[in-house]
Structures are given as structure tokens and as C-alpha cells.
């Protein structure tokens, strides 16, 4: 039995902690203090730190956590980390590691950063787990800081092919603003409207909107739906020159960048 806890940090980050009542792993600890507090409160030892990409809000707490716990640190080999992180165990596409009795596979998902990785555990009892950093958000995706639209589209296609019941553990609580954009793209999509209402209630109660089931993301996330007729039609109206799937995906990302 594993417990999955999104630890809020900064403005809108979640540091995902998974534990089995004895050992824990944490994904993208941008800050050490909420992680240390949780470990202490629950009497857990930190077995490993998993990193998806190099940004400070995902790596800033690693040095302190490692010093306090001696946890091993894993990172995609393709990602260039800040020197403050220190030595890491590098994982290539398809590499598997065993933690808390689960097997985690590294999936290379370039786009937000050049070497961004995601961690996928197929055999978790309550449903597969996906820690996807800033690649896939609920109803959204990360900005393209280092990668191309073609890379991000391919990365999202890989994640979208995972099983329906996959629990998508995103690194930010961006769901409400993403859903407002999604509704602007697809005003006729009742799943988006319904989910926006549910998420508004959750946020009013101070509760996270995550993890999100992948089956739901396929129905509400415009960045997983850029080939759907309704999304293609909306993009054709806005950006008539975008006439292949990569150009349409790029136009969708651009539209979101300017959306308020
Ligand atoms: Zn980032
Ligand atoms: Fe981030």
C-alpha cells in the first residue's frame, strides 16, 4: 500500500511524495523544508529523490535533503543540472529503477527543457503513476523553453498512450487557468465545463486538483487534443497558415502563452 502526497510549495508547485509507511521518495523537491517536515511527522526515511528537469523550483531543495537524509538522487542523463545538486544517478530513456517495491521507468519527454524526463510506475496497486514534472499539466502543458513544438508534441503523444487509469502527477497547480483556456479553445466541450466546476470547488476548499486520471486528460486537455476536429477548427480560424499537426500544436501553445 502506497500513499501519494502532493506537498504544496512556493506559489503553485507540488512536491510529490510517495511512501509505504516506512520509506519515501520525493519528486522534484524545489524546497527541502516541506519534505523534511513530512518525513519527520510521519516517521519516514527518504530513500530517493527523482528529478524531472533542471529548473530551480524542482531542484532547489536537493542539496539540503541529500545532506539531511543521504537519499540517492536520480535524474535523466540528458538533463544538465545546476552544480548545487551534486552527483546524481543518470537514467537514460527506458531505464528502470526499483523503489518502494515499484518499478519506475524513465520516459524521455523533451520540450519544456531539452532533457526533461518523466517517471512511470505501471504496477502501483491503486493505478499506474506518472510523475511528469512540467511536461503535462492538467488541461495544459509546459512552456517550450528549450525544445521545439515537434518535440513537445511527440513527448505528449507518448504520455497520452499510457493506460487510462494512469494517475498524472503534475508539478504545478495550474488546472483552473488551464481549464479556462481549454474552454476558450473548445466552448462546446461539456467535459471541460463540468471539470472546471469541480476543480473550482476543490480549490475553494484548498484541495489539490491532482492527480488527474489520464482518461480525463484526453477529454479535456487541448494539448492532447490538437488533432481533434473541434480544436483543428478553432486553430484554423485563428491561425489559417498552420496547416500541419506540428504547426497547429505550435499555434495552440502560442495562443496559450498570450491567453489571460
Ligand atoms: Zn520547469
Ligand atoms: Fe516548474
Amino acid at each position: 500500500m502506497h500513499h501519494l502526497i502532493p506537498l504544496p510549495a512556493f506559489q503553485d508547485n507540488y512536491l510529490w511524495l510517495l511512501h509505504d509507511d516506512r520509506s519515501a521518495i520525493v519528486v522534484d523537491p524545489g524546497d527541502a523544508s516541506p519534505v523534511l517536515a513530512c518525513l519527520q511527522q510521519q516517521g519516514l526515511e527518504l530513500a530517493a529523490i527523482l528529478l524531472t528537469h533542471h529548473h530551480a523550483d524542482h531542484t532547489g531543495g536537493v542539496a539540503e535533503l541529500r545532506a539531511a537524509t543521504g537519499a540517492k538522487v536520480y535524474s535523466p542523463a540528458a538533463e544538465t543540472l545546476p552544480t548545487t545538486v551534486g552527483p546524481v544517478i543518470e537514467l537514460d530513456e527506458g531505464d528502470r529503477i526499483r523503489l518502494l517495491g515499484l518499478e519506475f521507468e524513465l520516459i524521455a519527454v523533451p520540450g519544456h527543457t531539452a532533457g526533461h524526463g518523466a517517471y512511470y510506475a505501471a504496477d502501483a496497486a491503486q493505478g499506474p503513476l506518472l510523475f511528469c514534472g512540467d511536461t503535462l499539466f492538467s488541461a495544459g502543458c509546459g512552456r517550450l523553453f528549450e525544445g521545439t513544438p515537434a518535440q513537445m508534441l511527440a513527448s505528449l503523444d507518448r504520455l497520452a498512450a499510457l493506460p487510462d487509469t494512469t494517475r498524472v502527477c503534475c508539478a504545478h497547480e495550474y488546472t483552473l487557468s488551464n481549464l479556462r483556456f481549454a474552454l476558450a479553445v473548445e466552448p462546446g466541450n461539456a467535459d471541460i465545463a463540468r471539470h472546471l466546476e469541480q476543480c473550482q470547488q476543490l480549490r475553494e476548499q484548498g484541495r489539490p486538483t491532482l492527480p488527474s486520471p489520464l482518461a480525463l486528460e484526453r477529454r479535456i486537455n487541448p494539448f492532447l487534443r490538437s488533432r481533434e476536429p473541434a480544436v483543428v477548427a478553432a486553430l484554423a480560424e485563428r491561425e489559417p497558415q498552420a496547416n500541419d499537426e506540428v504547426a497547429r500544436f505550435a499555434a495552440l501553445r502560442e495562443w496559450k502563452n498570450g491567453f489571460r
Side-chain angles (χ1 to χ4, degrees):
M1 174 74 176
H2 293 93
H3 306 272
L4 179 65
I5 305 173
L7 296 171
F10 310 117
Q11 283 278 86
D12 48 37
N13 283 71
Y14 291 125
L15 321 181
W16 288 94
L17 187 139
L18 186 73
H19 74 84
D20 60 7
D21 290 310
R22 247 189 68 238
S23 302
I25 62 171
V26 68
V27 184
D28 286 350
D31 186 4
S33 48
V35 181
L36 289 170
C38 179
L39 295 172
Q40 180 153 35
Q41 254 168 31
Q42 314 224 17
L44 302 166
E45 79 170 39
L46 190 65
I49 298 168
L50 307 183
L51 303 179
T52 65
H53 70 292
H54 69 81
H55 288 155
D57 61 317
H58 300 251
T59 56
V62 173
E64 189 183 340
L65 271 181
R66 190 210 304 263
T69 65
K72 290 179 182 164
V73 185
Y74 295 90
S75 170
E79 191 70 346
T80 307
L81 298 169
T83 52
T84 51
V85 168
V88 298
I89 301 165
E90 296 188 340
L91 301 174
D92 290 309
E93 159 68 32
D95 280 356
R96 290 154 193 267
I97 48 175
R98 216 168 165 82
L99 297 166
L100 308 178
L102 296 174
E103 192 169 65
F104 290 83
E105 179 188 346
L106 186 91
I107 305 176
V109 285
H112 178 67
T113 62
H116 200 300
Y119 297 87
Y120 175 66
D123 50 356
Q126 300 107 304
L129 279 168
L130 176 68
F131 297 108
C132 50
D134 289 355
T135 296
L136 175 60
F137 295 126
S138 183
C141 77
R143 284 176 187 261
L144 301 179
F145 288 124
E146 298 172 12
T148 63
Q151 282 179 315
M152 187 57 130
L153 180 59
S155 294
L156 293 175
D157 283 346
R158 288 202 58 193
L159 299 184
L162 295 173
D164 277 359
T165 52
T166 301
R167 292 175 283 167
V168 181
C169 303
C170 322
H172 290 271
E173 179 62 71
Y174 291 155
T175 312
L176 289 183
S177 58
N178 285 344
L179 284 167
R180 286 186 200 106
F181 174 70
L183 209 47
V185 177
E186 288 187 85
N189 184 326
D191 290 322
I192 296 173
R194 193 176 318 117
H195 194 56
L196 177 55
E197 231 167 83
Q198 284 168 359
C199 288
Q200 273 163 340
Q201 286 179 15
L202 287 171
R203 296 309 293 147
E204 277 163 23
Q205 297 160 11
R207 290 161 62 193
T209 63
L210 303 168
S212 180
L214 189 58
L216 175 66
E217 290 306 314
R218 288 200 209 91
R219 300 204 311 269
I220 63 166
N221 191 324
F223 295 95
L224 302 185
R225 298 173 58 78
S226 61
R227 300 175 187 95
E228 290 291 322
V231 178
V232 171
L235 289 167
E237 202 166 300
R238 259 188 90 82
E239 206 68 63
Q241 320 91 292
N243 47 24
D244 66 57
E245 62 178 30
V246 172
R248 278 194 286 271
F249 180 83
L252 185 63
R253 188 55 258 184
E254 283 292 317
W255 184 0
K256 174 68 168 71
N257 291 348
F259 186 82
R260 287 295 170 271

